[in-house]
Amino acid sequence: MSTPSASLPGGTWTLGDLAVTRFGYGAMQLAGPWVMGPPADRVGALAVLREAVDLGITHIDTADAYGPHITNQLIREALHPYPDALHIVTKVGATRDEEGGWPSAREPEELRRAVQENLDNLGLETLDVVNLRLGDAQGPVPGSLAEAFATLVELQQQGLIRHLGVSNATAEQVTEARSIAPIVCVQNMYNLAHRHDDELIDELAEQGIAYVPFFPLGGFSPLQSSTLTAVATRLAATPMSVALAWLLRRSPNILLIPGTSSVAHLRENAASAGLQLSDDDLAGLDKIGR
């Protein structure tokens, strides 16, 4: 494996006692259309995972609901036995229905089953990090996470989980989780145009807790901004490259997990996230979502 600090932008961050590259990889797009079923190009999907490790990426984000089961099975086929430096972060709390929806699955028995399915499909005895997914497909939903999070703490005490986090959470839910047990990361929607978690990011940085934005490039509605386009044009880069570089500059506790099913696109993302943005660039970009 290549040396992460030498080959990837952003350096590293520590999730509890696990050092990971700030530039990681999100595996959701390896499943079929709308994250259902197998990929059209299985060989290509396996190649993307192996390229991620060859690039020096040590943080892969996944969930057994992707597919369902497909993405974790691909990770195991491509990378098991896993390099010592590689850490896989997964999430529980939602499942899939026949219509491709994401119904919640946060009852204690559902969470225990989900953790076991992650272990089985990834071929692991202990999961490095498990995020409790809250809310719904529209975003965070206020309400107590105590019972669900306590179930994961119980599984952590049994040795099935090393570290805990929360996903799709309100700031109040983050506080509640931390009152129950330590967390190492929060995974919420955040990007140049969606800045609702600015205060939370800064608070987490002070506490040494990672913030992992999903949809860092806008998700199903890609980021569009004349300012973003202008900066990209000046740097002879793509707007998406600039958006990733901005996230790395936004705060040292931000970890990137952009997804792709293309080896070429993965390489492009890894290289472009290291773009050097000037103070004027940052000042202009900073106004987009405010």
Side-chain angles (χ1 to χ4, degrees):
M1 179 183 291
S2 55
T3 303
S5 59
S7 58
L8 291 169
T12 61
W13 181 265
T14 302
L15 296 172
D17 60 346
L18 307 175
V20 298
T21 49
R22 288 185 65 208
F23 185 88
Y25 172 69
M28 185 174 74
Q29 293 186 30
L30 294 185
W34 300 102
V35 204
M36 291 289 284
D41 181 2
R42 185 180 185 87
V43 172
L46 297 172
V48 169
L49 288 162
R50 291 170 181 145
E51 179 66 17
V53 171
D54 287 345
L55 286 172
I57 289 171
T58 63
H59 174 201
I60 291 180
D61 180 82
T62 186
D64 207 59
Y66 298 163
H69 315 307
I70 297 296
T71 297
N72 279 356
Q73 291 167 357
L74 289 168
I75 291 170
R76 180 176 185 173
E77 181 177 346
L79 303 176
H80 195 278
Y82 303 111
D84 290 341
L86 180 65
H87 300 296
I88 299 172
V89 177
T90 189
K91 65 185 70 66
V92 296
T95 185
R96 306 304 305 277
D97 59 29
E98 293 182 356
E99 290 73 41
W102 300 83
S104 64
R106 294 191 287 270
E107 293 299 319
E109 283 308 310
E110 293 173 317
L111 293 171
R112 293 187 186 101
R113 180 168 61 251
V115 166
Q116 191 59 55
E117 287 174 344
N118 274 279
L119 289 166
D120 291 345
N121 284 311
L122 288 168
L124 292 168
E125 294 182 356
T126 302
L127 298 169
D128 282 334
V129 183
V130 174
N131 286 312
L132 174 63
R133 184 188 186 277
L134 300 163
D136 56 28
Q138 280 67 55
V141 175
S144 177
L145 52 64
E147 181 181 29
F149 197 69
T151 300
L152 295 187
V153 172
E154 175 188 321
L155 295 172
Q156 183 184 40
Q157 292 168 345
Q158 293 172 10
L160 300 180
I161 300 171
R162 194 162 184 172
H163 297 295
L164 297 171
V166 292
S167 177
N168 207 29
T170 66
E172 292 75 19
Q173 288 167 335
V174 172
T175 299
E176 184 182 19
R178 295 186 63 206
S179 74
I180 298 170
I183 64 171
V184 299
C185 56
V186 173
Q187 188 179 107
N188 278 0
M189 181 177 176
Y190 181 85
N191 54 50
L192 263 174
H194 296 87
R195 303 281 299 277
H196 52 281
D197 271 356
D198 272 330
E199 184 176 342
L200 177 61
I201 289 170
D202 295 338
E203 292 174 359
L204 293 174
E206 292 177 0
Q207 301 297 324
I209 297 171
Y211 184 94
V212 188
F214 63 74
F215 291 157
L217 302 178
F220 298 112
S221 301
L223 296 175
Q224 296 185 34
S225 161
S226 58
T227 302
L228 179 61
T229 300
V231 172
T233 299
R234 187 161 62 252
L235 294 174
T238 67
M240 299 302 97
S241 301
V242 174
L244 291 176
W246 176 83
L247 282 168
L248 284 177
R249 288 287 300 274
R250 167 63 184 83
S251 182
N253 66 324
I254 287 183
L255 310 184
L256 299 187
I257 51 168
T260 179
S261 58
S262 158
V263 167
H265 190 209
L266 174 63
R267 292 172 180 162
E268 178 183 299
N269 282 344
S272 62
L275 283 174
Q276 297 302 308
L277 302 177
S278 69
D279 290 342
D280 286 344
D281 292 334
L282 291 170
L285 294 169
D286 197 53
K287 295 177 183 176
I288 293 174
R290 292 191 180 277

